[in-house]
Amino acid sequence: MTDSPQLIHTIEDLQKQVRKALEKAQEELATQATEENPAEQATIGFVATMGALHEGHTTLIRRAREQNDIVLVSVFVNPLQFGPNEDFERYPRSLEEDVTLAGEAGADMVFAPTVEEMYPGGNPLVTVSTGKLGSMFEGKTRPGHFDGALTVVNKLFNILIAAKGKHTLNAYFGQKDAQQVSLVRRMIHDFNHAVVLKPVAIVREDNGLALSSRNQYLSEEERESALVLSRTLAILREETLTGQIMATDIESAREKINSTEGIRLDYLEVVDPMTFEAPTKESQRALALVAAYVGETRLIDNMELH
Ligand code: AMP
């Protein structure tokens, strides 16, 4: 494990370095191989981020480190996934610190392209369309968000697929963005991406607050108020342990959040995490989703109920 990952800015160099690193990793595996234990195929773990790394991101990176020979982290604040009145300009950027944190968590390479490198000549004409699943919940409040997010993930996947040869590409995504995980799963399926999706559970502060780069925007009081989100989800989960939750339980959860000082609820709903539709009798799992404005800051959270 190295503490200072290679910092890469261009797609061409990324592909070159990925090929080289995989080749080297394969050679190392070959030197350790015996007749009884032939060399396994070297794998690459990939974590896509927008930077401002925190313990949520570094948990994904550490997981990738445990499971792969090569670990790559991308840091790119993707303008396509921000609406015109959202926080693209003010989104926290801290590349130097991100490179250090990524290295400490086990990254071998950090890919930090410019907007021009990813979208030469301006926004792409052909983009990913995320359909119905991409226009519910987060996609409803943030029109175009998932088309933009999945477009950049599609590009990153294609760039890496072209460089990985026969090696497995494992992609780590956090359940913090549960709808994004579902969409990436669908995109891999629908586009035949040679990528293995590795979802990672939400990382929280001890008090329950889901870690987010946007937590930096919160004042002390807002941080305190924001705790109502995870607490309310936890109450819903408790209620499912003692029986089925009713529409009235969901309604009182909404009221609890809305009546908290400084908080305006966007949505709170229970869904089947595969479809994001209301759970049916066939649903294996139920997921409670919440989004709310804490002051000016929009936060999301979710919790598996069963
Ligand atoms: P972002 O930089 O917000 O685009 O996030 C990059 C990746 O880190 C996404 O897959 C997120 O779901 C994941 N992530 C962000 N926060 C958390 C968290 N608190 N727990 C788990 N994963 C997270």
Side-chain angles (χ1 to χ4, degrees), residues 7-59:
L7 181 57
I8 299 167
H9 293 291
T10 68
I11 293 167
E12 194 184 335
D13 195 29
L14 174 66
Q15 292 182 314
K16 193 169 125 200
Q17 299 306 334
V18 164
R19 284 194 190 98
K20 210 160 108 183
L22 282 168
E23 213 169 283
K24 190 157 161 249
Q26 196 62 57
E27 276 167 18
E28 270 172 35
L29 287 175
T31 61
Q32 293 154 17
T34 60
E35 211 159 305
E36 300 87 75
N37 283 313
E40 287 185 14
Q41 199 68 253
T43 65
I44 177 161
F46 170 51
V47 181
T49 81
M50 296 205 300
L53 300 189
H54 51 63
E55 191 65 27
H57 302 107
T58 53
T59 301

Short mmCIF file of all heavy atoms in Angstrom, two decimals, residues 7-59:
data_model
loop_
_atom_site.label_atom_id
_atom_site.label_comp_id
_atom_site.label_asym_id
_atom_site.label_seq_id
_atom_site.Cartn_x
_atom_site.Cartn_y
_atom_site.Cartn_z
N LEU A 7 -1.17 10.80 -9.24
CA LEU A 7 -2.24 11.74 -9.61
C LEU A 7 -2.28 11.86 -11.13
O LEU A 7 -1.27 12.21 -11.75
CB LEU A 7 -1.99 13.09 -8.95
CG LEU A 7 -3.00 14.19 -9.21
CD1 LEU A 7 -4.42 13.76 -8.78
CD2 LEU A 7 -2.63 15.46 -8.45
N ILE A 8 -3.42 11.56 -11.70
CA ILE A 8 -3.56 11.48 -13.16
C ILE A 8 -4.63 12.47 -13.61
O ILE A 8 -5.70 12.55 -13.00
CB ILE A 8 -3.95 10.04 -13.56
CG1 ILE A 8 -2.86 9.07 -13.11
CG2 ILE A 8 -4.20 9.92 -15.06
CD1 ILE A 8 -3.26 7.62 -13.17
N HIS A 9 -4.36 13.19 -14.70
CA HIS A 9 -5.32 14.21 -15.13
C HIS A 9 -5.96 13.94 -16.49
O HIS A 9 -6.99 14.54 -16.81
CB HIS A 9 -4.63 15.59 -15.17
CG HIS A 9 -4.23 16.08 -13.81
ND1 HIS A 9 -5.16 16.46 -12.86
CD2 HIS A 9 -3.03 16.21 -13.22
CE1 HIS A 9 -4.53 16.83 -11.76
NE2 HIS A 9 -3.23 16.68 -11.95
N THR A 10 -5.34 13.07 -17.30
CA THR A 10 -5.93 12.86 -18.63
C THR A 10 -6.41 11.42 -18.80
O THR A 10 -5.89 10.49 -18.16
CB THR A 10 -4.90 13.16 -19.76
OG1 THR A 10 -3.89 12.16 -19.71
CG2 THR A 10 -4.29 14.53 -19.61
N ILE A 11 -7.37 11.27 -19.68
CA ILE A 11 -7.95 9.95 -19.95
C ILE A 11 -6.88 9.03 -20.55
O ILE A 11 -6.75 7.87 -20.17
CB ILE A 11 -9.16 10.10 -20.91
CG1 ILE A 11 -10.28 10.84 -20.19
CG2 ILE A 11 -9.63 8.74 -21.41
CD1 ILE A 11 -11.40 11.32 -21.10
N GLU A 12 -6.10 9.59 -21.45
CA GLU A 12 -5.07 8.79 -22.11
C GLU A 12 -4.07 8.25 -21.09
O GLU A 12 -3.72 7.06 -21.10
CB GLU A 12 -4.36 9.66 -23.16
CG GLU A 12 -3.53 8.85 -24.12
CD GLU A 12 -2.77 9.74 -25.10
OE1 GLU A 12 -3.22 10.89 -25.35
OE2 GLU A 12 -1.73 9.31 -25.59
N ASP A 13 -3.64 9.13 -20.19
CA ASP A 13 -2.68 8.69 -19.18
C ASP A 13 -3.32 7.69 -18.22
O ASP A 13 -2.68 6.71 -17.81
CB ASP A 13 -2.16 9.93 -18.41
CG ASP A 13 -0.91 9.61 -17.61
OD1 ASP A 13 -0.15 8.70 -18.03
OD2 ASP A 13 -0.69 10.24 -16.56
N LEU A 14 -4.60 7.92 -17.89
CA LEU A 14 -5.29 6.98 -17.00
C LEU A 14 -5.27 5.57 -17.59
O LEU A 14 -4.92 4.60 -16.92
CB LEU A 14 -6.74 7.45 -16.78
CG LEU A 14 -7.61 6.47 -15.98
CD1 LEU A 14 -7.11 6.35 -14.54
CD2 LEU A 14 -9.08 6.91 -15.98
N GLN A 15 -5.62 5.49 -18.86
CA GLN A 15 -5.68 4.16 -19.49
C GLN A 15 -4.29 3.52 -19.53
O GLN A 15 -4.14 2.33 -19.27
CB GLN A 15 -6.27 4.29 -20.89
CG GLN A 15 -7.75 4.68 -20.82
CD GLN A 15 -8.40 4.77 -22.18
OE1 GLN A 15 -7.84 5.37 -23.09
NE2 GLN A 15 -9.58 4.20 -22.31
N LYS A 16 -3.29 4.34 -19.80
CA LYS A 16 -1.92 3.84 -19.86
C LYS A 16 -1.49 3.31 -18.48
O LYS A 16 -0.95 2.22 -18.36
CB LYS A 16 -1.00 4.99 -20.31
CG LYS A 16 0.38 4.55 -20.70
CD LYS A 16 1.11 5.70 -21.40
CE LYS A 16 2.42 5.95 -20.68
NZ LYS A 16 2.97 7.26 -20.94
N GLN A 17 -1.77 4.12 -17.45
CA GLN A 17 -1.34 3.74 -16.09
C GLN A 17 -2.10 2.52 -15.58
O GLN A 17 -1.56 1.70 -14.85
CB GLN A 17 -1.50 4.92 -15.12
CG GLN A 17 -0.69 6.15 -15.47
CD GLN A 17 0.80 5.85 -15.65
OE1 GLN A 17 1.35 4.90 -15.09
NE2 GLN A 17 1.46 6.65 -16.47
N VAL A 18 -3.39 2.42 -15.94
CA VAL A 18 -4.19 1.27 -15.50
C VAL A 18 -3.64 0.00 -16.15
O VAL A 18 -3.44 -1.02 -15.49
CB VAL A 18 -5.69 1.47 -15.85
CG1 VAL A 18 -6.47 0.16 -15.77
CG2 VAL A 18 -6.32 2.49 -14.90
N ARG A 19 -3.35 0.07 -17.45
CA ARG A 19 -2.78 -1.11 -18.16
C ARG A 19 -1.47 -1.53 -17.50
O ARG A 19 -1.25 -2.71 -17.23
CB ARG A 19 -2.51 -0.76 -19.63
CG ARG A 19 -3.76 -0.73 -20.45
CD ARG A 19 -3.45 -0.72 -21.96
NE ARG A 19 -4.68 -0.46 -22.69
CZ ARG A 19 -5.04 0.74 -23.17
NH1 ARG A 19 -4.24 1.78 -23.04
NH2 ARG A 19 -6.20 0.89 -23.80
N LYS A 20 -0.63 -0.52 -17.24
CA LYS A 20 0.69 -0.79 -16.67
C LYS A 20 0.56 -1.42 -15.27
O LYS A 20 1.22 -2.41 -14.96
CB LYS A 20 1.46 0.54 -16.57
CG LYS A 20 2.94 0.40 -16.70
CD LYS A 20 3.57 1.73 -17.08
CE LYS A 20 4.31 2.30 -15.91
NZ LYS A 20 4.87 3.62 -16.18
N ALA A 21 -0.32 -0.82 -14.45
CA ALA A 21 -0.47 -1.30 -13.07
C ALA A 21 -1.03 -2.72 -13.05
O ALA A 21 -0.59 -3.55 -12.24
CB ALA A 21 -1.39 -0.35 -12.31
N LEU A 22 -1.97 -3.01 -13.93
CA LEU A 22 -2.55 -4.36 -13.96
C LEU A 22 -1.51 -5.38 -14.41
O LEU A 22 -1.42 -6.48 -13.86
CB LEU A 22 -3.79 -4.40 -14.87
CG LEU A 22 -5.07 -3.82 -14.24
CD1 LEU A 22 -6.14 -3.62 -15.29
CD2 LEU A 22 -5.58 -4.72 -13.11
N GLU A 23 -0.73 -4.97 -15.39
CA GLU A 23 0.32 -5.87 -15.88
C GLU A 23 1.30 -6.20 -14.75
O GLU A 23 1.66 -7.35 -14.54
CB GLU A 23 1.06 -5.15 -17.01
CG GLU A 23 1.56 -6.05 -18.12
CD GLU A 23 2.03 -5.19 -19.28
OE1 GLU A 23 1.17 -4.68 -20.05
OE2 GLU A 23 3.25 -5.00 -19.39
N LYS A 24 1.69 -5.13 -14.04
CA LYS A 24 2.66 -5.30 -12.95
C LYS A 24 2.06 -6.19 -11.84
O LYS A 24 2.73 -7.09 -11.32
CB LYS A 24 3.02 -3.91 -12.39
CG LYS A 24 4.17 -3.93 -11.44
CD LYS A 24 4.85 -2.57 -11.34
CE LYS A 24 5.66 -2.49 -10.07
NZ LYS A 24 5.11 -1.55 -9.08
N ALA A 25 0.80 -5.90 -11.50
CA ALA A 25 0.13 -6.69 -10.45
C ALA A 25 0.06 -8.16 -10.87
O ALA A 25 0.25 -9.06 -10.05
CB ALA A 25 -1.27 -6.14 -10.19
N GLN A 26 -0.18 -8.38 -12.15
CA GLN A 26 -0.28 -9.76 -12.64
C GLN A 26 1.08 -10.47 -12.54
O GLN A 26 1.15 -11.63 -12.15
CB GLN A 26 -0.79 -9.77 -14.08
CG GLN A 26 -1.27 -11.14 -14.54
CD GLN A 26 -2.45 -11.62 -13.69
OE1 GLN A 26 -3.46 -10.97 -13.58
NE2 GLN A 26 -2.29 -12.78 -13.05
N GLU A 27 2.12 -9.72 -12.87
CA GLU A 27 3.47 -10.30 -12.77
C GLU A 27 3.78 -10.69 -11.33
O GLU A 27 4.32 -11.75 -11.06
CB GLU A 27 4.53 -9.30 -13.25
CG GLU A 27 4.70 -9.30 -14.75
CD GLU A 27 5.49 -8.10 -15.24
OE1 GLU A 27 6.19 -7.46 -14.43
OE2 GLU A 27 5.39 -7.80 -16.46
N GLU A 28 3.38 -9.80 -10.40
CA GLU A 28 3.64 -10.10 -8.98
C GLU A 28 2.89 -11.33 -8.54
O GLU A 28 3.40 -12.18 -7.82
CB GLU A 28 3.24 -8.90 -8.12
CG GLU A 28 4.41 -7.96 -7.93
CD GLU A 28 4.02 -6.68 -7.23
OE1 GLU A 28 3.15 -6.72 -6.35
OE2 GLU A 28 4.57 -5.62 -7.62
N LEU A 29 1.61 -11.44 -8.99
CA LEU A 29 0.82 -12.62 -8.63
C LEU A 29 1.48 -13.88 -9.20
O LEU A 29 1.49 -14.91 -8.54
CB LEU A 29 -0.61 -12.48 -9.16
CG LEU A 29 -1.51 -11.48 -8.42
CD1 LEU A 29 -2.86 -11.35 -9.11
CD2 LEU A 29 -1.72 -11.89 -6.97
N ALA A 30 2.02 -13.74 -10.38
CA ALA A 30 2.65 -14.90 -11.03
C ALA A 30 3.87 -15.38 -10.25
O ALA A 30 4.12 -16.58 -10.16
CB ALA A 30 3.03 -14.55 -12.46
N THR A 31 4.60 -14.42 -9.65
CA THR A 31 5.80 -14.83 -8.91
C THR A 31 5.43 -15.60 -7.64
O THR A 31 6.22 -16.39 -7.14
CB THR A 31 6.67 -13.62 -8.50
OG1 THR A 31 5.88 -12.78 -7.65
CG2 THR A 31 7.17 -12.83 -9.69
N GLN A 32 4.22 -15.31 -7.12
CA GLN A 32 3.80 -16.02 -5.90
C GLN A 32 3.09 -17.33 -6.20
O GLN A 32 2.77 -18.11 -5.31
CB GLN A 32 2.85 -15.14 -5.08
CG GLN A 32 3.51 -13.89 -4.51
CD GLN A 32 2.51 -12.78 -4.29
OE1 GLN A 32 1.30 -13.03 -4.25
NE2 GLN A 32 3.00 -11.56 -4.15
N ALA A 33 2.82 -17.58 -7.47
CA ALA A 33 2.02 -18.76 -7.83
C ALA A 33 2.85 -20.04 -7.70
O ALA A 33 4.06 -20.04 -7.88
CB ALA A 33 1.53 -18.60 -9.27
N THR A 34 2.15 -21.10 -7.34
CA THR A 34 2.78 -22.42 -7.31
C THR A 34 1.92 -23.34 -8.17
O THR A 34 0.85 -22.92 -8.65
CB THR A 34 2.79 -22.99 -5.87
OG1 THR A 34 1.43 -23.08 -5.42
CG2 THR A 34 3.62 -22.11 -4.95
N GLU A 35 2.36 -24.57 -8.31
CA GLU A 35 1.56 -25.49 -9.14
C GLU A 35 0.18 -25.74 -8.53
O GLU A 35 -0.82 -25.77 -9.24
CB GLU A 35 2.32 -26.79 -9.33
CG GLU A 35 2.02 -27.44 -10.67
CD GLU A 35 3.11 -28.41 -11.06
OE1 GLU A 35 4.29 -27.99 -11.11
OE2 GLU A 35 2.78 -29.56 -11.28
N GLU A 36 0.17 -25.86 -7.18
CA GLU A 36 -1.13 -26.10 -6.52
C GLU A 36 -1.98 -24.83 -6.49
O GLU A 36 -3.20 -24.89 -6.49
CB GLU A 36 -0.94 -26.57 -5.05
CG GLU A 36 -0.17 -27.85 -4.85
CD GLU A 36 1.33 -27.59 -4.78
OE1 GLU A 36 1.77 -27.10 -3.74
OE2 GLU A 36 2.01 -27.84 -5.78
N ASN A 37 -1.28 -23.68 -6.35
CA ASN A 37 -2.00 -22.40 -6.29
C ASN A 37 -1.64 -21.51 -7.46
O ASN A 37 -0.82 -20.59 -7.34
CB ASN A 37 -1.63 -21.67 -4.99
CG ASN A 37 -2.35 -22.25 -3.79
OD1 ASN A 37 -3.56 -22.49 -3.83
ND2 ASN A 37 -1.60 -22.51 -2.76
N PRO A 38 -2.22 -21.74 -8.61
CA PRO A 38 -1.89 -20.92 -9.77
C PRO A 38 -2.32 -19.47 -9.57
O PRO A 38 -3.21 -19.20 -8.75
CB PRO A 38 -2.68 -21.58 -10.91
CG PRO A 38 -3.72 -22.43 -10.26
CD PRO A 38 -3.24 -22.76 -8.88
N ALA A 39 -1.68 -18.57 -10.29
CA ALA A 39 -1.96 -17.14 -10.11
C ALA A 39 -3.40 -16.82 -10.47
O ALA A 39 -3.93 -17.29 -11.47
CB ALA A 39 -1.02 -16.32 -10.98
N GLU A 40 -4.03 -16.01 -9.60
CA GLU A 40 -5.36 -15.52 -9.95
C GLU A 40 -5.21 -14.31 -10.85
O GLU A 40 -4.13 -13.73 -10.94
CB GLU A 40 -6.11 -15.14 -8.68
CG GLU A 40 -6.55 -16.36 -7.91
CD GLU A 40 -7.40 -16.01 -6.71
OE1 GLU A 40 -7.86 -14.85 -6.63
OE2 GLU A 40 -7.58 -16.89 -5.86
N GLN A 41 -6.31 -13.92 -11.45
CA GLN A 41 -6.32 -12.75 -12.30
C GLN A 41 -6.29 -11.50 -11.42
O GLN A 41 -7.07 -11.40 -10.47
CB GLN A 41 -7.64 -12.80 -13.08
CG GLN A 41 -7.69 -11.97 -14.31
CD GLN A 41 -6.78 -12.50 -15.40
OE1 GLN A 41 -5.76 -11.89 -15.65
NE2 GLN A 41 -7.14 -13.60 -16.03
N ALA A 42 -5.42 -10.56 -11.70
CA ALA A 42 -5.40 -9.30 -10.94
C ALA A 42 -6.71 -8.54 -11.20
O ALA A 42 -7.25 -8.60 -12.31
CB ALA A 42 -4.21 -8.44 -11.36
N THR A 43 -7.20 -7.84 -10.19
CA THR A 43 -8.46 -7.09 -10.36
C THR A 43 -8.22 -5.61 -10.05
O THR A 43 -7.28 -5.25 -9.35
CB THR A 43 -9.57 -7.61 -9.42
OG1 THR A 43 -9.16 -7.35 -8.07
CG2 THR A 43 -9.81 -9.10 -9.61
N ILE A 44 -9.12 -4.79 -10.56
CA ILE A 44 -9.06 -3.35 -10.25
C ILE A 44 -10.34 -2.92 -9.54
O ILE A 44 -11.45 -3.29 -9.95
CB ILE A 44 -8.77 -2.51 -11.52
CG1 ILE A 44 -8.77 -1.02 -11.19
CG2 ILE A 44 -9.72 -2.81 -12.66
CD1 ILE A 44 -8.08 -0.14 -12.20
N GLY A 45 -10.18 -2.16 -8.47
CA GLY A 45 -11.31 -1.60 -7.74
C GLY A 45 -11.40 -0.12 -8.04
O GLY A 45 -10.39 0.59 -8.03
N PHE A 46 -12.62 0.34 -8.31
CA PHE A 46 -12.81 1.73 -8.74
C PHE A 46 -13.85 2.41 -7.84
O PHE A 46 -14.93 1.88 -7.61
CB PHE A 46 -13.29 1.74 -10.20
CG PHE A 46 -13.75 3.09 -10.69
CD1 PHE A 46 -12.94 4.21 -10.53
CD2 PHE A 46 -14.98 3.22 -11.31
CE1 PHE A 46 -13.38 5.45 -10.97
CE2 PHE A 46 -15.42 4.46 -11.76
CZ PHE A 46 -14.61 5.58 -11.59
N VAL A 47 -13.49 3.60 -7.35
CA VAL A 47 -14.41 4.40 -6.52
C VAL A 47 -14.58 5.76 -7.19
O VAL A 47 -13.62 6.54 -7.29
CB VAL A 47 -13.86 4.58 -5.08
CG1 VAL A 47 -14.84 5.39 -4.24
CG2 VAL A 47 -13.58 3.23 -4.43
N ALA A 48 -15.78 6.07 -7.65
CA ALA A 48 -16.05 7.36 -8.29
C ALA A 48 -16.53 8.34 -7.22
O ALA A 48 -17.44 8.02 -6.45
CB ALA A 48 -17.14 7.19 -9.35
N THR A 49 -15.90 9.51 -7.16
CA THR A 49 -16.31 10.51 -6.17
C THR A 49 -16.32 11.91 -6.80
O THR A 49 -15.77 12.12 -7.87
CB THR A 49 -15.35 10.58 -4.95
OG1 THR A 49 -14.21 11.38 -5.30
CG2 THR A 49 -14.90 9.22 -4.50
N MET A 50 -16.91 12.84 -6.03
CA MET A 50 -16.82 14.25 -6.41
C MET A 50 -15.84 14.97 -5.48
O MET A 50 -15.87 16.20 -5.38
CB MET A 50 -18.20 14.90 -6.35
CG MET A 50 -19.15 14.29 -7.37
SD MET A 50 -20.47 15.40 -7.84
CE MET A 50 -21.25 15.70 -6.27
N GLY A 51 -15.02 14.20 -4.79
CA GLY A 51 -14.03 14.80 -3.90
C GLY A 51 -14.61 15.22 -2.58
O GLY A 51 -15.67 14.73 -2.18
N ALA A 52 -13.91 16.14 -1.88
CA ALA A 52 -14.27 16.51 -0.50
C ALA A 52 -14.43 15.22 0.31
O ALA A 52 -15.44 15.00 0.98
CB ALA A 52 -15.53 17.37 -0.46
N LEU A 53 -13.40 14.40 0.22
CA LEU A 53 -13.50 13.04 0.77
C LEU A 53 -13.67 13.05 2.28
O LEU A 53 -13.06 13.85 2.99
CB LEU A 53 -12.25 12.23 0.40
CG LEU A 53 -11.96 12.04 -1.09
CD1 LEU A 53 -10.83 11.03 -1.29
CD2 LEU A 53 -13.20 11.61 -1.88
N HIS A 54 -14.52 12.14 2.74
CA HIS A 54 -14.73 11.93 4.17
C HIS A 54 -14.72 10.43 4.43
O HIS A 54 -14.49 9.63 3.50
CB HIS A 54 -16.03 12.60 4.64
CG HIS A 54 -17.23 12.24 3.80
ND1 HIS A 54 -17.71 10.95 3.70
CD2 HIS A 54 -18.01 12.98 2.98
CE1 HIS A 54 -18.75 10.94 2.89
NE2 HIS A 54 -18.96 12.16 2.43
N GLU A 55 -15.04 10.07 5.65
CA GLU A 55 -15.00 8.67 6.07
C GLU A 55 -15.92 7.76 5.23
O GLU A 55 -15.64 6.57 5.08
CB GLU A 55 -15.38 8.63 7.56
CG GLU A 55 -15.15 7.33 8.28
CD GLU A 55 -13.69 6.93 8.40
OE1 GLU A 55 -12.82 7.83 8.39
OE2 GLU A 55 -13.44 5.72 8.47
N GLY A 56 -16.99 8.35 4.67
CA GLY A 56 -17.86 7.55 3.78
C GLY A 56 -17.09 7.10 2.56
O GLY A 56 -17.06 5.92 2.21
N HIS A 57 -16.42 8.07 1.91
CA HIS A 57 -15.63 7.72 0.73
C HIS A 57 -14.47 6.79 1.08
O HIS A 57 -14.20 5.83 0.36
CB HIS A 57 -15.02 8.99 0.11
CG HIS A 57 -16.00 10.04 -0.29
ND1 HIS A 57 -16.15 11.21 0.40
CD2 HIS A 57 -16.88 10.10 -1.33
CE1 HIS A 57 -17.07 11.97 -0.18
NE2 HIS A 57 -17.54 11.32 -1.24
N THR A 58 -13.78 7.11 2.18
CA THR A 58 -12.57 6.30 2.48
C THR A 58 -12.97 4.87 2.87
O THR A 58 -12.18 3.95 2.68
CB THR A 58 -11.70 6.96 3.58
OG1 THR A 58 -12.50 7.23 4.72
CG2 THR A 58 -11.06 8.24 3.07
N THR A 59 -14.19 4.70 3.36
CA THR A 59 -14.66 3.33 3.62
C THR A 59 -14.78 2.56 2.31
O THR A 59 -14.41 1.39 2.21
CB THR A 59 -16.02 3.36 4.36
OG1 THR A 59 -15.82 4.07 5.59
CG2 THR A 59 -16.55 1.97 4.65
#
